Amino acid sequence: LEETIPKPLEDTGNVLKQGYLEKRCREHSFFGSEWKKRWCVLNRETFYYYANEKSKQPKGSFSISGCSARLAAHLRKDARRSCCFELTSPGKRPYEFTAPSPAEAEDWVDQIQFLLKDLSSFTIPCDEEDEEELYNDVDSSDSMNTTSHSTTLNQEEPNVKMEDDIYEVLPGMSPPRT
């Protein structure tokens, strides 16, 4: 997870998720690892962390491209272990976080995984449930829809007469004269 150039909070682009998390510090104290409360901001490609939500400059940031996100209960031994998650990338140091609740930790992981899926493909990812609903009208058995989807205008065919086909004759009316 390579370091990126720090940006002020206002310049981080489209914010997809933000909130307070506890971040494990790199340095270990006499009592073990320390967790520091940080204001975290996730945009489309970068994860920023600040001292607090009013900070102008981040304490650090890293690109999420190429990393993986997962819940990680092994990071803590206390009651907050079900609120932990980590971001890892081969050959780079892991970034470890604790969210305020297990649901919040899961939401952070889901958001990051969604972005990673988006970054690794040329299509917009969608939930599997939504896939069935996409453009079902194209395969509709309705003859009007089938006709309208398969009708094309070909300018190379000069003998095609469409004037008569575009008028509907209602009962009691005579067809238009050309």
Side-chain angles (χ1 to χ4, degrees):
L1 306 178
E2 48 196 61
E3 297 292 324
T4 59
I5 298 170
K7 295 181 180 179
L9 187 54
E10 302 86 35
D11 296 341
T12 56
N14 293 333
V15 173
L16 301 173
K17 184 149 183 74
Q18 61 186 351
Y20 278 105
L21 297 171
E22 288 182 16
K23 181 187 165 296
R24 181 179 265 176
C25 296
R26 277 193 271 191
E27 311 86 39
H28 294 288
S29 71
F30 178 74
F31 299 106
S33 299
E34 280 193 60
W35 293 87
K36 300 238 176 167
K37 189 174 181 178
R38 298 287 183 235
W39 179 255
C40 297
V41 176
L42 176 66
N43 77 6
R44 187 163 157 51
E45 298 173 351
T46 308
F47 192 106
Y48 298 92
Y49 50 97
Y50 298 82
N52 59 55
E53 62 187 299
K54 305 251 188 264
S55 296
K56 299 286 186 205
Q57 291 294 320
K59 296 286 242 173
S61 63
F62 56 91
S63 170
I64 63 164
S65 180
C67 73
S68 63
R70 68 183 180 113
L71 295 174
H74 68 278
L75 297 177
R76 291 179 80 140
K77 306 284 186 232
D78 60 7
R80 311 258 336 262
R81 68 178 175 264
S82 60
C83 304
C84 296
F85 67 96
E86 66 183 348
L87 300 171
T88 58
S89 184
K92 310 284 182 176
R93 77 175 184 95
Y95 287 86
E96 301 164 337
F97 298 94
T98 302
S101 70
E104 191 68 18
E106 192 171 331
D107 191 43
W108 276 96
V109 169
D110 289 346
Q111 289 291 325
I112 294 165
Q113 287 176 343
F114 179 83
L115 285 172
L116 292 170
K117 189 176 179 183
D118 187 32
L119 289 172
S120 67
S121 80
F122 293 113
T123 58
I124 299 171
C126 63
D127 293 334
E128 290 177 18
E129 305 151 2
D130 297 339
E131 287 180 26
E132 297 172 14
E133 298 176 26
L134 296 177
Y135 303 109
N136 280 341
D137 62 331
V138 173
D139 295 328
S140 174
S141 60
D142 182 4
S143 62
M144 290 296 282
N145 282 347
T146 305
T147 303
S148 66
H149 287 295
S150 63
T151 302
T152 58
L153 294 176
N154 189 345
Q155 294 178 348
E156 295 174 15
E157 297 178 22
N159 296 333
V160 176
K161 288 189 173 186
M162 294 187 63
E163 291 91 32
D164 295 336
D165 295 339
I166 62 170
Y167 297 104
E168 182 180 355
V169 179
L170 297 174
M173 296 186 75
S174 60
R177 296 182 190 219
T178 56

